[in-house]
Amino acid sequence: MTSSPILSHRKIIHIDMDAFYASVEQRDFPELRGKPLVVGGDPSGRGVVAAASYEIRKFGVRSAMSCYEARKRCPDAVFVRPRFEVYRAVSAEIRKIMLSLTPHVEPLSLDEAYLDVTGLPVHQGSATLMANWLRARILAQTGLTASAGVSFNKMLAKIASDINKPNGTAIITPADAAAFISTLPIERFHGIGKATAKRLHEMGISNGADLRRTPAAVLVYEFGKRGQFYHDIAHGRDERTVKSKRQHKSVGSETTFKDNLDSDAALKAKIYEQNADAFAQMQSKQLIAYTITLKVKYADFTQITRSHTLSTAFDNEQAAHYWLDKLFMDIPRNLPIRLVGVTYSSLALAAQILPQLNLFE
């Protein structure tokens, strides 16, 4: 027996910035406006697309595609390097706008977040009016457009934010949910990836109606615990809460080289660069770390990691250089290297150790 989504009373908004990195570049550099723009790496090397402007998406260019393939599809494409420090600053500005509406904000990435606005009296208590206010405020303050999805759970709000992109709002009400889900291709369901979708198609399940008709026991047998989740979302049930304080398990940065490297000096310079970026990310989240991990991928695509944990937190990015050097000396060097990365883990909030530090001042 299944409960109806109509009983749900929550009001969830999903905000998704439109082509975020590319839009920031076009905002800051007017000569890029209207151009087929790729934010990413070198199109003649191993770079990947971090963001694609709407002008270039009509050529089939999308995020995570190789820049080489992007140039093949659109020879007139303009390529610019990402400026993550700028994107993080703009994201923080957008986050402040969201928090001015509600403390219940769950960031998913720099360019998207969930908000739980259940019971808020502002804007006549209408989640749709709140979503439109957010979009207008973001545009006025940052010059960037956002799309919004409004519904009674996270899955449907996220799907809705994609319906009227770019620069639009879509609502999926409890009354409309069942009909909407019935026609939704399974690839559009949050949490169903390519491999799962392929298996579901093999089982004769291609849309929400097919998924809803499939007994939960069959889905659990086929997919384990996830099977129950698929059964629930087919019935419009997603009880996941908006988590305003997400626990970060790790913070890291990595880079793939245009050409494989074999020089100690060049490799250490790249490792230090990734360390600086990872440490800056950690500081922006007001976190401290006790464990550092060095990741290396070789020319044959095999990879290894080496880690070290301290009893006290890393004070600054330079303090990590000593341990990164030791970890670097510990890796086999029989092949050239194509990627290095640095990750901080065993994290804690910096504020949590301040009282302890003050005792010894």
Side-chain angles (χ1 to χ4, degrees):
M1 187 168 178
T2 59
S3 63
S4 168
I6 295 174
L7 298 177
S8 181
H9 66 279
R10 292 192 299 164
K11 295 180 179 181
I12 309 295
I13 299 172
H14 180 256
I15 294 287
D16 193 3
M17 299 303 296
D18 299 323
F20 182 50
Y21 299 169
S23 295
V24 171
E25 297 301 330
Q26 290 178 323
R27 179 198 69 174
D28 292 352
F29 301 98
E31 66 273 18
L32 297 176
R33 293 172 192 170
K35 299 285 180 65
L37 178 66
V38 168
V39 179
D42 184 352
S44 60
R46 290 173 170 154
V48 296
V49 176
S53 71
Y54 283 101
E55 293 87 352
I56 200 170
R57 292 185 185 188
K58 61 187 178 184
F59 295 93
V61 175
R62 62 186 188 280
S63 297
M65 176 182 284
S66 74
C67 289
Y68 177 79
E69 176 65 23
R71 170 153 285 176
K72 273 178 60 181
R73 295 189 182 202
C74 181
D76 295 328
V78 180
F79 290 81
V80 299
R81 293 284 187 176
R83 299 180 297 148
F84 289 111
E85 69 286 351
V86 176
Y87 310 148
R88 280 194 283 270
V90 177
S91 179
E93 202 176 347
I94 294 165
R95 188 85 41 81
K96 284 182 182 177
I97 296 171
M98 294 177 179
L99 289 169
S100 72
L101 178 67
T102 173
H104 304 297
V105 177
E106 179 182 349
L108 300 179
S109 61
L110 291 179
D111 61 345
E112 60 175 323
Y114 289 115
L115 298 87
D116 189 333
V117 296
T118 308
L120 286 185
V122 296
H123 303 286
Q124 303 168 43
S126 165
T128 304
L129 292 179
M130 293 180 215
N132 287 334
W133 177 85
L134 283 166
R135 291 178 45 243
R137 187 75 181 271
I138 289 168
L139 178 61
Q141 199 162 315
T142 70
L144 302 170
T145 64
S147 296
V150 180
S151 195
F152 55 90
N153 64 41
K154 291 170 84 171
M155 180 197 74
L156 290 173
K158 185 171 174 66
I159 292 171
S161 67
D162 220 25
I163 293 175
N164 289 327
K165 260 190 169 297
N167 198 23
T169 300
I171 306 97
I172 301 173
T173 67
D176 297 334
F180 177 82
I181 291 169
S182 291
T183 59
L184 193 69
I186 53 170
E187 290 82 1
R188 294 281 307 281
F189 281 90
H190 180 62
I192 294 182
K194 288 183 179 179
T196 302
K198 181 175 182 292
R199 180 65 190 124
L200 287 168
H201 278 294
E202 290 169 353
M203 295 167 65
I205 301 169
S206 62
N207 58 31
D210 297 335
L211 192 59
R212 188 182 296 150
R213 283 192 293 267
T214 307
V218 172
L219 294 171
V220 170
Y221 176 80
E222 195 68 40
F223 303 105
K225 283 193 300 185
R226 296 294 294 173
Q228 183 61 53
F229 176 71
Y230 301 150
H231 182 264
D232 288 343
I233 61 177
H235 290 82
R237 294 194 300 270
D238 178 6
E239 298 306 317
R240 292 174 302 154
T241 58
V242 171
K243 298 176 182 176
S244 53
K245 292 184 179 177
R246 301 184 75 202
Q247 186 177 1
H248 296 274
K249 293 183 179 178
S250 65
V251 176
S253 179
E254 61 182 44
T255 185
T256 301
F257 311 133
K258 178 181 176 182
D259 300 302
N260 297 330
L261 295 181
D262 209 6
S263 157
D264 282 8
L267 285 163
K268 282 188 180 181
K270 294 294 185 183
I271 290 168
Y272 290 169
E273 285 177 16
Q274 300 315 300
N275 176 59
D277 184 53
F279 198 89
Q281 289 183 54
M282 190 167 64
Q283 281 189 313
S284 72
K285 296 177 172 64
Q286 298 182 312
L287 298 170
I288 56 170
Y290 294 84
T291 300
I292 193 166
T293 300
L294 174 65
K295 174 183 175 182
V296 167
K297 184 179 286 186
Y298 296 102
D300 64 354
F301 287 83
T302 58
Q303 67 180 42
I304 62 167
T305 59
R306 293 288 185 268
S307 300
H308 186 81
T309 300
L310 300 180
S311 57
T312 57
F314 288 92
D315 291 331
N316 53 62
E317 66 177 81
Q318 288 76 22
H321 289 181
Y322 171 80
W323 295 106
L324 288 170
D325 289 348
K326 288 181 71 70
L327 295 174
F328 181 72
M329 289 172 61
D330 193 35
I331 64 168
R333 294 297 305 282
N334 51 320
L335 285 172
I337 291 170
R338 73 186 311 270
L339 173 151
V340 294
V342 175
T343 299
Y344 286 95
S345 56
S346 303
L347 302 175
L349 284 171
Q352 291 175 344
I353 65 161
L354 288 178
Q356 300 170 32
L357 295 176
N358 291 339
L359 290 174
F360 299 97
E361 286 181 352

